[in-house]
Amino acid sequence: MFDMAEVPQPEDSLNPDFISERAKRLCAGEIFLDAAGNRAMSNRYDRSSNSKGIVDFGVSENKLMFDVFEKKLAEPKIQTLAPHMLFYDVMAGNLRFRGALAEFLTERLNAAKPLDPKNVRVCNGAGPMMELVASSIGDPGDCLMMPMPCYGGVFWDVGGRAEINVVPVHLTSKMEEGDTMPFQLTAKKIEDTYNKATAEGKKIVGILLINPHNPLGDIYSAELIMDILNVCHRHSLHVIMDEIYMMSIFDTEAKFTSVLSLPNIPDPQRVHLVWGFAKDFCMSGMRCGVLYSVNEAVNKAVDALVYFNMIPGPIQHVLTEIVLDKEWLDNVFIPTKYSRMREARSYMCDKLSALGIPVRKSPSGLYIWADFRKYIQPLTPENELVLFEKFMDAGVYLTPGIEAFNCGEPGFFRMVFTVYRDHLEVGMERIAAVLKDCAENGLTKPQADNAEAPTSADVKEESLEDLLGLLQGRISSSGWLEETRTQNWATQNPEALEQFKQAMKSQEGFGDK
Amino acid sequence: MASNDLSGRVQKSLARLQANLLISDVGWKVKSFPFHPKDSPEGIVDFGVSENKLMFDVFEKKLAEPKIQTLAPHMLFYDVMAGNLRFRGALAEFLTERLNAAKPLDPKNVRVCNGAGPMMELVASSIGDPGDCLMMPMPCYGGVFWDVGGRAEINVVPVHLTSKMEEGDTMPFQLTAKKIEDTYNKATAEGKKIVGILLINPHNPLGDIYSAELIMDILNVCHRHSLHVIMDEIYMMSIFDTEAKFTSVLSLPNIPDPQRVHLVWGFAKDFCMSGMRCGVLYSVNEAVNKAVDALVYFNMIPGPIQHVLTEIVLDKEWLDNVFIPTKYSRMREARSYMCDKLSALGIPVRKSPSGLYIWADFRKYIQPLTPENELVLFEKFMDAGVYLTPGIEAFNCGEPGFFRMVFTVYRDHLEVGMERIAAVLKDCAENGLTKPQADNAEAPTSADVKEESLEDLLGLLQGRISSSGWLEETRTQNWATQNPEALEQFKQAMKSQEGFGDK
């Protein structure tokens, strides 16, 4: 993967006099999901006001339920304001809220025994909660395993500041012996990864799992979860189980097993459940993540650190009322949501089916995992990004498997279907148009926005020194770097890229990513 | 799982927290046993936590307005991490006016996160690496040590101010640029790496407002040494003395090093909503802003809250004609009440035009005047059911005798609290500063301890502590003040054990 950090930065963008070393590290990398997401968010499609904007099938949000919420949140009970909501409260969440969550989660997760409110903690988002837990169980440089493809934000959640590294447990489309489907997770694959990484000197403190899965949409069986817990227990590993999509299982026949529903887990002190309101309650902007752990040391650590991650009192009140309204949840919210999700998903899948795009069978999630391999010839990581750029240029944002989810092989995209109907229609049309173009003309590279970008011909004529100077000059003067990811240039000019990389290696301080 | 299975870095953070038990411990103890005239009259009256509780009725009315109640889809979905642009634009407008800014604030340089304390951490992390230092005048807002140190590991170097006036001073605890520069030189000579200074203006806990000249002098000193200035103006709209002249750092037309000046503000104090969790940063430094943009992912504010706060700051008419005048009027009334009662008790109060609290001088009641005895008085107040924050433990004051007292509390709390204080002081005047009764009658007495060997002492102490829950209920300081000889013996014994050292 060609990394932005390898490209010489224009001077003064990060004046070394002004900021700390850690700040420089933070600003050096670029998170693909953020950059692409920002690009889509700053030019959103809207039927009336911005019909040329980008349809967002990328960001994992459920936009289907606003009307139902508008009604719910207008209720007087929810609108009330009491003094305590405006003043300092227990940092890890007020006790009424935590009690309501204990009750709610006990039911929804079918918990083996009732959750204790004292073991429930809240903060301003599931991602931040991941950071709090990861910081408590690992020191900078320690590692957490995670099956790939995975939720792309995890690298920033645990790594951005807490400096925990993620060790991939790579799953592939090629089925291994014993597998019944592609990208299948098994306890053995986890243990093999653990052994290999440990032999390489990595210090693995635990594993991060998301169930129901993002981006695959899978639900893990009870047996698989127990197998994994047993492997982890064998090696004294923590398990951070993120069940943030537990209430986004639109296939009501599917059987979901929460880790908290298993009666006899081998190492309860090392199992930490994370959940949040963003996905299941269609309110990613509300910022509320939940932790359930019986580990007193971890809880004590979170109690201390959560000072930096508190949630407003009024929000805690609103969310309390929402989770306590069982009647509304069971008779209004959940059935309406699942029905709308099934409808949207069907629409998207039908369109993809007509295009010959296989979709992974999955009972849950706000997205589908789609196989575009037949349209990506030759099948390379670079070409996956070419297809991504073609989609973006055509005004539709799909997240590519490698860049966004660290998938071990090219060809797969995640597509979020929980969007407004007109967005769905327009987006699928645009996809169809791009694929038609690919089928007829091959996977041609998208036009570079900047006609001054060096071509392969220009570059071959000159010495390496000239090449570097040329590239540096073009990059800093043209603003091209702002507009196009360097990957584009790289895919357009693979020979020049090779020469550039060689030249960089010979310069002091540069090395392979 | 044993505590020692926690990561090393979190164990360090917890150790730092333990070093400031008052902030982490006592505040919550008070919150869990609060005074209420009917429901819990024996509860503790809170003159400790800096919150303005006087304006709930006004907010209740304001927040019920339809415009504020509206919900739009974008409020429920992901938005710009450092705050949505409408909110930041409204804040730019609001702060330009309230701070009398020298030039209009640019919304692109406004950033928000879930609290001014967290914002302190973000800025401090961006300008300093673990082990680096920020100077701060003492006594100071006690939470700063956790804000910049708890996890970001920035150390705070005190610029100690004292009640003894130095040459040129016109009042006790006076801040000057020279004192800052002297501290800088001394600390740097000791090998400390100072990256900047943290100032709070209007001041907590003193209530002072810095003059324009003082601020410029400080900025010049900092410029001389390439230091960052984090200027916390979180009480800028809590200046109940309307004659007072407040100078925001952003109102000064020609500051020497604008790239190193970072303004922090928040809604907690000025808008009486500490539970709302909203802190604001204004900086023109692109590198710092970029770092904050990256980190603020961990500190986002809910969309609906941004909407409510936007509407509040945009309602100039309500601010100027309802909120601010009502607030200041109530603050003056509460402060007068408290000061009159203190005056009757012979307690001098620092003259100050701002803040939710007063800085009171209890030295005449603390004989002999020692840090330990300041805590004895603190404990006596707690036992009597009133919480005042002691200067040394809570504000790192360099000398004993001073307490901060928050007056922005309900009227009946004010009355009952002042009665309890009067009773304690009467008792002190009549009986001397006697040590408060230990809750646990089993706590070892000096007599018991002298009979036994040091080994027995340690065993006894360990046993008593772990079996009685006494540690939960009483700070060890109580035992220490009750049993100074035993404490000495204990300390000696501890020193001889491996791994122990002085605090």
Side-chain angles (χ1 to χ4, degrees):
Chain A
M1 242 193 300
F2 191 74
D3 189 331
M4 282 279 288
E6 288 176 20
V7 175
Q9 297 283 340
E11 258 183 32
D12 281 335
S13 68
L14 292 171
N15 189 324
D17 288 342
F18 288 137
I19 58 169
S20 58
E21 289 308 307
R22 68 180 138 192
K24 288 181 209 162
R25 271 198 315 269
L26 283 168
C27 298
E30 186 179 46
I31 310 300
F32 181 89
L33 267 180
D34 278 354
N38 285 339
R39 194 168 151 192
M41 280 207 273
S42 56
N43 183 19
R44 287 184 209 261
Y45 168 81
D46 181 275
R47 178 171 41 192
S48 22
S49 61
N50 189 21
S51 58
K52 290 207 168 52
I54 302 176
V55 170
D56 189 348
F57 288 158
V59 177
S60 177
E61 291 182 296
N62 191 334
K63 297 194 175 84
L64 299 179
M65 297 293 286
F66 178 74
D67 57 328
V68 173
F69 269 116
E70 202 176 12
K71 200 162 160 219
K72 179 66 175 158
L73 296 182
E75 288 176 10
K77 199 162 149 194
I78 290 197
Q79 291 299 345
T80 32
L81 188 75
H84 72 270
M85 297 178 199
L86 295 188
F87 303 142
Y88 288 124
D89 206 335
V90 181
M91 302 200 294
N94 76 53
L95 297 172
R96 180 164 183 257
F97 185 32
R98 290 156 74 178
L101 283 168
E103 212 176 292
F104 167 79
L105 290 172
T106 298
E107 172 169 0
R108 303 292 154 180
L109 302 181
N110 196 23
K113 45 183 193 191
L115 302 196
D116 184 345
K118 288 208 297 304
N119 292 331
V120 176
R121 282 161 175 73
V122 298
C123 82
N124 64 329
M129 189 60 92
M130 291 285 209
E131 187 198 39
L132 295 187
V133 180
S135 324
S136 304
I137 63 176
D139 280 300
D142 290 349
C143 304
L144 283 168
M145 291 184 290
M146 194 167 187
M148 308 280 153
C150 75
Y151 149 63
V154 74
F155 300 94
W156 184 252
D157 286 343
V158 306
R161 179 169 58 182
E163 298 181 71
I164 301 283
N165 298 317
V166 178
V167 167
V169 181
H170 275 296
L171 308 178
T172 65
S173 59
K174 272 200 189 49
M175 300 201 286
E176 294 181 23
E177 193 188 316
D179 286 352
T180 52
M181 57 177 179
F183 299 108
Q184 182 164 357
L185 179 64
T186 65
K188 180 179 187 306
K189 293 177 191 177
I190 290 172
E191 194 158 35
D192 288 348
T193 301
Y194 173 81
N195 290 331
K196 181 164 181 288
T198 304
E200 288 167 6
K202 296 191 169 118
K203 181 172 170 222
I204 302 204
V205 296
I207 186 168
L208 235 155
L209 298 167
I210 295 189
N211 177 38
H213 194 264
N214 174 14
L216 299 175
D218 296 356
I219 288 178
Y220 296 151
S221 68
E223 288 138 327
L224 173 60
I225 298 173
M226 279 307 291
D227 285 349
I228 295 173
L229 293 179
N230 285 324
V231 164
C232 291
H233 177 51
R234 211 159 33 245
H235 302 285
S236 298
L237 300 177
H238 288 267
V239 177
I240 302 178
M241 184 67 89
D242 181 354
E243 297 186 354
I244 200 171
Y245 291 99
M246 64 89 172
M247 220 171 78
S248 297
I249 305 172
F250 49 80
D251 177 354
T252 45
E253 304 291 299
K255 180 162 170 16
F256 171 70
T257 305
S258 166
V259 70
L260 294 184
S261 70
L262 297 169
N264 289 310
I265 59 181
D267 197 353
Q269 289 288 317
R270 287 196 175 91
V271 171
H272 318 287
L273 178 98
V274 173
W275 178 75
F277 283 80
K279 318 293 181 180
D280 287 348
F281 277 100
C282 317
M283 39 169 75
S284 29
M286 256 328 188
R287 313 307 310 146
C288 181
V290 182
L291 170 70
Y292 191 81
S293 177
V294 300
N295 184 312
E296 290 208 20
V298 168
N299 286 341
K300 187 174 170 184
V302 171
D303 276 341
L305 293 174
V306 81
Y307 164 87
F308 298 104
N309 292 91
M310 294 191 267
I311 307 179
I315 296 291
Q316 296 191 49
H317 168 71
V318 169
L319 299 180
T320 301
E321 293 301 323
I322 282 178
V323 302
L324 285 179
D325 195 341
K326 201 168 139 40
E327 201 275 339
W328 175 78
L329 284 172
D330 289 332
N331 300 334
V332 178
F333 182 70
I334 295 174
T336 311
K337 187 175 70 149
Y338 285 171
S339 156
R340 293 179 183 182
M341 285 173 75
R342 285 191 294 264
E343 188 187 340
R345 190 184 191 277
S346 291
Y347 183 89
M348 180 177 273
C349 288
D350 289 347
K351 292 293 182 186
L352 288 172
S353 172
L355 293 164
I357 304 284
V359 167
R360 186 180 183 78
K361 193 162 154 54
S362 68
S364 68
L366 313 182
Y367 36 75
I368 50 123
W369 182 247
D371 180 351
F372 283 84
R373 287 180 293 180
K374 71 144 60 100
Y375 286 95
I376 302 175
Q377 305 295 347
L379 184 59
T380 64
E382 290 76 20
N383 279 345
E384 177 178 294
L385 279 172
V386 169
L387 184 57
F388 163 77
E389 287 288 343
K390 282 177 79 74
F391 285 138
M392 281 298 250
D393 286 346
V396 61
Y397 168 37
L398 284 64
T399 27
I402 297 176
E403 277 288 344
F405 306 103
N406 210 30
C407 187
E409 59 192 275
F412 296 86
F413 285 73
R414 184 192 76 176
M415 297 171 59
V416 174
F417 55 81
T418 47
V419 300
Y420 307 120
R421 178 60 174 229
D422 54 337
H423 291 224
L424 212 48
E425 293 172 2
V426 169
M428 294 315 299
E429 277 170 22
R430 292 176 179 181
I431 288 174
V434 167
L435 296 182
K436 182 166 186 280
D437 178 61
C438 289
E440 288 168 7
N441 305 321
L443 189 68
T444 49
K445 292 147 192 171
Q447 291 300 315
D449 284 350
N450 186 345
E452 285 182 27
T455 66
S456 307
D458 286 355
V459 156
K460 274 175 188 145
E461 305 294 0
E462 305 176 35
S463 72
L464 285 178
E465 227 171 16
D466 292 340
L467 165 66
L468 291 171
L470 178 73
L471 188 58
Q472 248 175 302
R474 292 280 164 82
I475 287 176
S476 45
S477 66
S478 71
W480 172 80
L481 197 63
E482 306 299 317
E483 289 157 329
T484 331
R485 274 193 95 243
T486 39
Q487 193 77 31
N488 285 351
W489 180 83
T491 50
Q492 290 169 43
N493 303 281
E495 306 94 326
L497 172 65
E498 261 321 297
Q499 291 173 359
F500 182 69
K501 275 180 163 170
Q502 291 309 319
M504 286 287 99
K505 276 193 185 126
S506 69
Q507 297 236 334
E508 200 181 338
F510 279 82
D512 270 349
K513 177 187 189 297
Chain B
M1 173 174 141
S3 292
N4 58 13
D5 281 349
L6 282 177
S7 62
R9 64 159 135 219
V10 150
Q11 290 187 56
K12 268 200 315 205
S13 292
L14 288 175
R16 275 173 209 251
L17 190 61
Q18 286 298 107
N20 200 342
L21 272 175
L22 260 184
I23 302 296
S24 61
D25 210 35
V26 174
W28 302 119
K29 187 170 162 188
V30 172
K31 285 261 178 195
S32 55
F33 187 35
F35 170 78
H36 186 280
K38 294 196 200 63
D39 302 340
S40 59
E42 347 72 61
I44 303 176
V45 171
D46 189 349
F47 289 159
V49 178
S50 177
E51 292 182 292
N52 192 333
K53 296 193 176 87
L54 300 179
M55 297 293 287
F56 179 74
D57 58 326
V58 173
F59 269 115
E60 204 175 12
K61 200 160 159 221
K62 179 64 173 157
L63 296 180
E65 288 177 9
K67 199 161 147 194
I68 289 198
Q69 292 299 345
T70 32
L71 189 75
H74 73 269
M75 297 176 199
L76 294 187
F77 303 142
Y78 289 123
D79 205 334
V80 180
M81 302 199 298
N84 76 53
L85 297 173
R86 180 165 183 255
F87 185 31
R88 291 156 73 179
L91 282 168
E93 211 177 292
F94 167 80
L95 290 172
T96 298
E97 171 168 1
R98 303 290 155 183
L99 302 180
N100 196 24
K103 47 184 191 191
L105 303 195
D106 183 344
K108 287 209 297 303
N109 292 331
V110 177
R111 282 163 175 71
V112 298
C113 82
N114 64 330
M119 189 60 91
M120 292 287 209
E121 187 197 40
L122 296 187
V123 179
S125 313
S126 303
I127 63 176
D129 283 299
D132 289 349
C133 304
L134 284 169
M135 291 185 290
M136 193 165 186
M138 308 280 152
C140 76
Y141 149 62
V144 73
F145 300 95
W146 183 250
D147 286 343
V148 306
R151 183 168 59 179
E153 297 182 72
I154 301 283
N155 298 316
V156 177
V157 168
V159 180
H160 275 297
L161 309 178
T162 65
S163 60
K164 274 199 189 51
M165 300 201 287
E166 294 181 24
E167 193 188 315
D169 287 352
T170 53
M171 59 178 175
F173 299 108
Q174 182 164 357
L175 180 63
T176 66
K178 180 182 187 305
K179 293 177 192 177
I180 290 172
E181 193 157 35
D182 288 348
T183 301
Y184 173 81
N185 290 331
K186 181 165 183 287
T188 304
E190 288 167 5
K192 295 191 169 118
K193 181 174 169 219
I194 303 205
V195 295
I197 187 169
L198 237 156
L199 299 166
I200 294 188
N201 176 40
H203 193 263
N204 175 15
L206 299 176
D208 296 356
I209 289 179
Y210 297 151
S211 68
E213 286 139 328
L214 173 60
I215 298 172
M216 279 306 293
D217 284 348
I218 295 173
L219 293 179
N220 285 324
V221 165
C222 290
H223 177 53
R224 214 161 28 248
H225 302 286
S226 298
L227 299 177
H228 286 267
V229 177
I230 302 177
M231 183 67 89
D232 181 355
E233 296 186 355
I234 199 172
Y235 290 99
M236 65 89 174
M237 221 170 76
S238 297
I239 306 172
F240 49 81
D241 177 353
T242 45
E243 304 291 300
K245 181 163 167 18
F246 171 70
T247 305
S248 166
V249 70
L250 294 184
S251 70
L252 298 170
N254 289 311
I255 58 180
D257 196 353
Q259 288 287 319
R260 286 195 176 89
V261 172
H262 317 289
L263 178 100
V264 173
W265 178 74
F267 283 80
K269 318 292 182 180
D270 287 348
F271 278 99
C272 316
M273 39 170 74
S274 28
M276 257 324 190
R277 314 307 310 145
C278 181
V280 181
L281 170 69
Y282 192 82
S283 178
V284 301
N285 185 311
E286 290 207 23
V288 168
N289 286 340
K290 188 168 174 187
V292 171
D293 276 340
L295 287 173
V296 80
Y297 163 87
F298 298 104
N299 293 91
M300 293 192 267
I301 307 179
I305 297 290
Q306 296 191 51
H307 168 70
V308 170
L309 299 181
T310 301
E311 293 301 323
I312 282 177
V313 301
L314 285 179
D315 195 342
K316 200 166 140 42
E317 201 275 338
W318 176 77
L319 285 172
D320 289 331
N321 300 333
V322 178
F323 181 71
I324 295 174
T326 310
K327 186 175 71 151
Y328 285 172
S329 158
R330 292 180 184 181
M331 285 173 75
R332 284 191 296 265
E333 187 186 343
R335 189 183 192 279
S336 289
Y337 182 88
M338 180 177 273
C339 288
D340 288 348
K341 293 291 180 186
L342 288 172
S343 173
L345 293 163
I347 303 284
V349 166
R350 188 179 181 80
K351 194 162 151 55
S352 66
S354 66
L356 313 182
Y357 37 75
I358 50 125
W359 182 247
D361 181 352
F362 283 83
R363 287 180 294 180
K364 70 142 62 99
Y365 285 95
I366 303 175
Q367 305 295 350
L369 184 60
T370 63
E372 291 76 22
N373 279 343
E374 176 178 295
L375 279 170
V376 170
L377 185 58
F378 163 75
E379 288 286 344
K380 282 177 78 76
F381 285 138
M382 283 296 265
D383 287 345
V386 63
Y387 170 36
L388 284 64
T389 27
I392 297 176
E393 277 289 341
F395 306 104
N396 211 31
C397 187
E399 59 192 274
F402 297 87
F403 285 74
R404 185 191 76 176
M405 296 171 61
V406 174
F407 56 81
T408 48
V409 301
Y410 307 119
R411 177 60 174 228
D412 45 358
H413 291 224
L414 211 48
E415 291 173 1
V416 169
M418 294 315 298
E419 275 169 23
R420 292 176 180 182
I421 289 175
V424 167
L425 296 183
K426 181 167 187 283
D427 178 62
C428 288
E430 287 167 8
N431 305 319
L433 189 67
T434 49
K435 293 147 192 168
Q437 292 302 314
D439 284 350
N440 185 346
E442 285 181 25
T445 66
S446 306
D448 285 355
V449 157
K450 276 179 186 140
E451 306 295 3
E452 305 176 32
S453 71
L454 286 178
E455 225 169 19
D456 292 341
L457 164 67
L458 291 171
L460 178 73
L461 189 58
Q462 247 174 305
R464 293 279 164 80
I465 288 177
S466 46
S467 66
S468 72
W470 172 79
L471 196 65
E472 307 302 315
E473 289 158 328
T474 331
R475 276 193 91 239
T476 40
Q477 193 80 29
N478 285 351
W479 180 83
T481 50
Q482 287 168 45
N483 304 282
E485 307 92 326
L487 173 65
E488 263 321 296
Q489 291 174 359
F490 183 68
K491 276 179 168 174
Q492 291 307 320
M494 286 286 103
K495 277 198 186 121
S496 67
Q497 297 233 338
E498 202 181 336
F500 278 80
D502 270 350
K503 177 189 188 297

